[in-house]
Amino acid sequence: MSTKAKYITGWVLTGIIVLMLVASATDKIRSSEHALEMAGSFGIKAGVYQVLGMIELLSVLLFAIPRTGILGTLLLASYLGGALATHLQHQQSILFPIGIEVLVWITATIRFKELGNRLFHPGI
């Protein structure tokens, strides 16, 4: 894939991730009816769910900014790992958190050459 194609692909995928996770974080921060229903199904108090939304929002913003993108990748991986564990604990589908996690890592390896090199070419 050419450098220009990687650049465009990386930013398109970043945009998709940002749109999905900002919507999710906003839902939690605003304590929408859907968010409160989800929090209740997980046994999480509304205030704690709002804090999770703020963490999610901060992580995705750090991911979107090129200078802090790798830090954002690690924070999103941690956040989504927690979401995965929560879904497993409460017998909920894990497809969404796994799908987002995979998309984040694919996007990160496209956007951040040094990350891709370390993951796929460890001897370099």
Side-chain angles (χ1 to χ4, degrees), residues 15-55:
I16 292 168
I17 291 167
V18 167
L19 285 174
M20 287 190 306
L21 294 181
V22 165
S24 171
T26 303
D27 205 31
K28 290 176 182 84
I29 293 168
R30 286 185 27 238
S31 294
S32 72
E33 187 176 321
H34 174 261
L36 293 176
E37 192 176 300
M38 286 296 292
S41 74
F42 294 136
I44 300 173
K45 295 178 183 176
V48 173
Y49 216 52
Q50 285 180 319
V51 172
L52 288 173
M54 290 178 214
I55 292 169

Side-chain angles (χ1 to χ4, degrees), residues 87-100:
H87 282 249
L88 282 171
Q89 183 179 12
H90 295 280
Q91 291 84 39
Q92 304 246 346
S93 172
I94 59 172
L95 291 177
F96 187 73
I98 285 178
I100 299 298

